[in-house]
Amino acid sequence: MEDSRTIETATMKMIEKAKKDNVETAWDRAEKMKPQCGFGETGVCCRICTMGPCRIDLVGDGPKRGVCGADADTIVARNLIRMIAGGAAAHSDHGRDISHTLLMAAEGSDYEVKEPEKLIAVAKVFGVETEGKDIKEIAKETAIKALEDFGRYEGLTLYPYTANEKRKKIWEKNDVWPRSIDREIVQIMHQTHMGVDADYVNLIQQGVRASIGDGWGGSMIATELSDVLFGLPKPIETEANLGVLEKNMVNIVAHGHEPTLSDMIVQASQDNELLERAKAVGAEGINVVGMCCTGNEIVMRHGTRMAGNFLQQEAAIVTGAVDAMIVDVQCIMPSVTQVASCYHTKVISTSPKAKIPGAIHIQFDEKHAYEIAKKIILEGVENFKNRIPEKVHIPEEKSQAIVGFSVESIIKGLDKVVIASAQPTGTVKPLVDCIVSGVLRGAAGVVGCNNHKVQHNYGHVELIKDLIKHDVIVVVTGCTAYACAEAGLMKPEAKELCGPGLKTVCELVGIPPVLHMGSCVDCSRILILLNEVAKYLNLDISDLPAAGAAPEWMSEKAVSIGTYFVTSGVYTVLGVCPPVLGSKNVTKLLTEDVEGIYGGKFAVEPDPHKAAQLMIDHIEAKRKALGI
Ligand code: SF4
Ligand code: FE2
């Protein structure tokens, strides 16, 4: 079976079924959209004021400036950093909600501090005195300090202080240390307003500031406080792909991004009252499965099975076996309700920020979290009897995977090697030793979304296979994690696809070669890991034999992630070109000049094999420079 849209057979089957059921999918809509607008694609369409829309003619004798006189450099840079603002806002608002949930846990709610030790570590970053205080008091003060960091009016955001000394100096020297997380996003909106900044370098610098406020601010706070509230991820077995849906159980798909709701859904799905009700409607039980990043959050902590990534959200409903799809925020296609209308599926929106026509809205409220989670699940349970048997087809595909690799659990896992050789434990030394000795050539972070412009999962899987074959250990988040789990790259047997060095490490430590580090905000875990290794070696992140990639990215969040990786010193290869080619200057700045400033840079390479080779070449060049 072959299909130019996806490499993944369960999804192929659902695309075929959708066609038979007369259901339109993203691929159909993408086809209708062709040819896509060249002005938009190259970033030279401006709609910032109503003298426009203006567009720059890149090839002919048409306009070279907008009505106001903005040239291609200004227009491209403004559009790009507005994407960063969107992405950083999404991640950071998520971080703010988690901080607020911590505050509520401290004041009394259905949430509690699950990791007091981690809370104390986070409190220290925020300068909260912990000695002699009870854990609720520490939680309250930490939550308030975290919330303050979003709107701080003096000083600088606090989490970037955890970076290594060399990196901090680079940010200071280039004046890109975020002052407050929200402020940098707001400043982007001001700076890109009609008639404000026209200097593409200055514009990009502001984009950099906001992106650091995301990666080393909002996202990092989201990750750290999620661990405090919901538990530190530890290695756990699971299964991935549409085959995790069950014919005889109530299927609840948790889709979106934040753990606040999904974690409660997992808990509430075990409620006796609901289980009784499920039996009463003829189901054997309640099967909660995850989709996109909220799925990553719950699989990392509970092993909740992974139904699919971004481009599988419609396919999941096409199975005809989803009784409720519960959504919160981000990456939810508005089409899910249209697809659902052809089956019995109820789409339930829960966030005041994300309502979808055709969905039932049950607003989530952290104060009554458990009760609302039960109410939401009950909708799914009661809907079980409305399944249309002749429309139900659950593909059998599902793969085993081991997930749950927080930085803490990676360090603990590697201690197995240390204990064998009686050295101090709890540091990144074993990882460093493997890299310095050349057993591992280096490390790569592969992250990001799916995009119909790339065959679904092909970019992720092919690139990663090449990396592990060359003894490069790979960490993943987001939709990449699903692609890897579905392709079997997260099971121990995947060691057979590795070079001899990585294979040995997998055998000794008992890990797969591709480590699932969580959701998109958990890209901050990758920063923390790189930073720990850099600190241990007294180097900067840019000195390390490491590289990043986003082979199938599509969202504004990915633009922010890519930018904070590059400006943290990581060489980052994109599989889809961002809308910048309309400006030679902006393109050159991002793919060449930026390296001299931040030590990292972007490259664009749609062919995953060539992209992997670029990353391997970079890793080898860094090894050579270090003399290892
Ligand atoms: Fe055109 Fe300038 Fe208005 Fe943009 S800001 S739409 S380039 S006039
Ligand atoms: Fe995500």
Side-chain angles (χ1 to χ4, degrees):
M1 207 170 175
E2 263 195 48
D3 191 305
S4 60
R5 293 164 289 190
T6 177
I7 58 165
E8 201 282 300
T9 52
T11 312
M12 284 177 208
K13 289 176 192 166
M14 289 307 104
I15 293 173
E16 283 312 306
K17 180 170 186 293
K19 204 167 149 196
K20 274 192 222 121
D21 294 350
N22 223 356
V23 170
E24 194 183 63
T25 65
W27 287 284
D28 300 319
R29 292 188 295 274
E31 207 47 52
K32 287 186 192 161
M33 200 57 68
K34 283 179 184 162
Q36 286 184 284
C37 170
F39 296 102
E41 216 155 31
T42 50
V44 291
C45 169
C46 185
R47 309 179 277 104
I48 283 176
C49 85
T50 62
M51 293 196 291
C54 298
R55 48 194 206 178
I56 304 301
D57 185 357
L58 295 171
V59 281
D61 310 328
K64 300 294 173 210
R65 286 180 183 269
V67 175
C68 67
D71 63 9
D73 295 342
T74 307
I75 292 174
V76 166
R78 286 196 304 212
N79 286 340
L80 184 74
I81 73 168
R82 280 194 169 205
M83 292 186 87
I84 294 176
H91 284 150
S92 297
D93 216 28
H94 170 165
R96 185 199 329 272
D97 281 350
I98 303 289
S99 309
H100 190 245
T101 308
L102 179 65
L103 183 63
M104 293 176 81
E107 290 174 341
S109 70
D110 293 345
Y111 298 96
E112 57 178 10
V113 171
K114 289 226 176 93
E115 302 283 352
E117 223 175 284
K118 180 133 192 185
L119 173 62
I120 290 169
V122 177
K124 291 205 169 114
V125 177
F126 285 116
V128 171
E129 189 51 63
T130 56
E131 214 58 48
K133 285 185 188 159
D134 82 44
I135 212 68
K136 284 204 166 173
E137 219 177 321
I138 300 171
K140 183 170 181 170
E141 285 181 37
T142 305
I144 290 171
K145 286 280 183 196
L147 288 165
E148 275 173 11
D149 235 16
F150 289 89
R152 133 180 335 279
Y153 64 93
E154 58 178 2
L156 299 166
T157 49
L158 296 176
Y159 249 100
Y161 283 103
T162 57
N164 69 81
E165 294 307 318
K166 291 182 183 171
R167 183 56 32 188
K168 285 191 281 196
K169 286 208 180 84
I170 293 171
W171 292 336
E172 271 161 5
K173 187 172 156 224
N174 292 287
D175 190 18
V176 289
W177 197 306
R179 293 155 298 180
S180 87
I181 298 160
D182 291 352
R183 179 177 178 178
E184 306 309 352
I185 297 164
V186 170
Q187 187 170 317
I188 287 183
M189 298 314 285
H190 179 190
Q191 209 166 324
T192 57
H193 185 278
M194 188 273 148
V196 185
D197 197 2
D199 178 346
Y200 75 93
V201 177
N202 201 46
L203 284 159
I204 299 291
Q205 184 194 23
Q206 181 54 24
V208 168
R209 226 180 251 128
S211 77
I212 296 171
D214 172 356
W216 293 84
S219 281
M220 208 170 269
I221 290 171
T223 297
E224 297 279 81
L225 296 185
S226 292
D227 286 353
V228 168
L229 282 165
F230 307 109
L232 257 176
K234 297 179 187 73
I236 189 166
E237 278 181 36
T238 191
E239 289 176 329
N241 214 337
L242 295 171
V244 302
L245 294 166
E246 298 288 346
K247 189 160 178 261
N248 299 323
M249 293 174 89
V250 175
N251 289 312
I252 309 270
V253 176
H255 176 19
H257 272 76
E258 296 180 3
T260 346
L261 168 67
S262 57
D263 206 88
M264 216 30 103
I265 292 285
V266 172
Q267 277 187 51
S269 69
Q270 298 310 310
D271 188 281
N272 276 336
E273 210 183 317
L274 288 172
L275 291 171
E276 287 300 316
R277 192 64 209 138
K279 292 224 171 80
V281 296
E284 286 170 8
I286 300 170
N287 179 38
V288 175
V289 296
M291 177 149 277
C292 288
C293 281
T294 207
N296 285 328
E297 298 278 357
I298 48 181
V299 72
M300 293 278 282
R301 299 189 175 97
H302 306 287
T304 309
R305 296 183 298 167
M306 307 160 70
N309 55 9
F310 177 72
L311 273 178
Q312 289 176 293
Q313 59 187 291
E314 295 173 310
I317 301 176
V318 173
T319 64
V322 174
D323 302 299
M325 177 177 271
I326 305 164
V327 304
D328 59 2
V329 288
Q330 299 170 24
C331 302
I332 303 142
M333 291 191 199
S335 67
V336 287
T337 50
Q338 278 169 285
V339 179
S341 69
C342 301
Y343 304 92
H344 79 303
T345 306
K346 282 188 181 174
V347 177
I348 304 170
S349 58
T350 58
S351 166
K353 296 170 208 164
K355 296 189 179 180
I356 305 169
I360 304 168
H361 188 74
I362 302 179
Q363 194 140 314
F364 187 61
D365 167 7
E366 287 88 343
K367 268 200 193 111
H368 310 285
Y370 190 77
E371 277 315 303
I372 296 177
K374 270 179 74 179
K375 191 175 163 196
I376 293 169
I377 295 172
L378 188 61
E379 289 282 342
V381 171
E382 297 297 345
N383 199 25
F384 178 79
K385 54 184 182 298
N386 298 327
R387 277 196 201 171
I388 309 158
E390 60 278 16
K391 278 198 174 175
V392 174
H393 174 91
I394 303 173
E396 64 278 9
E397 284 86 349
K398 58 182 171 186
S399 305
Q400 303 293 317
I402 299 175
V403 305
F405 293 95
S406 53
V407 175
E408 291 85 342
S409 72
I410 291 176
I411 290 177
K412 206 164 167 210
L414 287 163
D415 275 346
K416 285 183 199 157
V417 191
V418 177
I419 290 160
S421 61
Q423 287 169 344
T425 57
T427 73
V428 289
K429 184 174 189 300
L431 178 61
V432 169
D433 287 348
C434 288
I435 291 175
V436 170
S437 65
V439 172
L440 297 178
R441 301 308 293 171
V446 185
V447 305
C449 336
N450 299 131
N451 185 325
H452 71 90
K453 292 177 180 174
V454 182
Q455 190 182 18
H456 169 239
N457 287 359
Y458 174 80
H460 296 302
V461 171
E462 291 303 307
L463 177 126
I464 289 171
K465 277 192 194 159
D466 280 7
L467 292 173
I468 61 176
K469 203 193 291 170
H470 283 84
D471 288 328
V472 174
I473 192 163
V474 177
V475 295
V476 294
T477 62
C479 286
T480 315
Y482 283 85
C484 292
E486 289 169 2
L489 298 177
M490 285 180 179
K491 49 186 182 188
E493 299 77 38
K495 68 176 196 250
E496 301 304 336
L497 301 170
C498 301
L502 180 54
K503 185 178 174 184
T504 309
V505 171
C506 291
E507 281 167 351
L508 273 174
V509 188
I511 51 170
V514 181
L515 304 179
H516 188 335
M517 289 194 90
S519 63
C520 295
V521 292
D522 292 337
C523 285
S524 60
R525 295 191 202 275
I526 303 176
L527 291 179
I528 293 170
L529 184 60
L530 289 168
N531 190 44
E532 286 306 310
V533 173
K535 276 183 178 169
Y536 186 86
L537 288 166
N538 199 22
L539 294 169
D540 173 48
I541 293 171
S542 62
D543 301 319
L544 303 177
E552 305 182 24
W553 76 276
M554 59 84 195
S555 81
E556 291 171 323
K557 293 180 288 178
V559 184
S560 183
I561 295 172
T563 309
Y564 72 64
F565 267 108
V566 164
T567 54
S568 296
V570 182
Y571 173 66
T572 302
V573 185
L574 305 175
V576 178
C577 190
V580 296
L581 293 184
S583 163
K584 284 200 179 73
N585 283 329
V586 172
T587 305
K588 182 170 172 293
L589 176 63
L590 297 173
T591 57
E592 293 174 32
D593 308 347
V594 80
E595 192 176 26
I597 310 169
Y598 299 107
K601 65 176 177 181
F602 283 107
V604 178
E605 177 49 69
D607 179 334
H609 300 290
K610 288 183 188 160
Q613 195 55 52
L614 287 174
M615 295 165 79
I616 292 163
D617 292 346
H618 175 81
I619 284 169
E620 291 302 333
K622 290 290 171 185
R623 294 190 66 88
K624 204 167 166 205
L626 288 171
I628 58 174

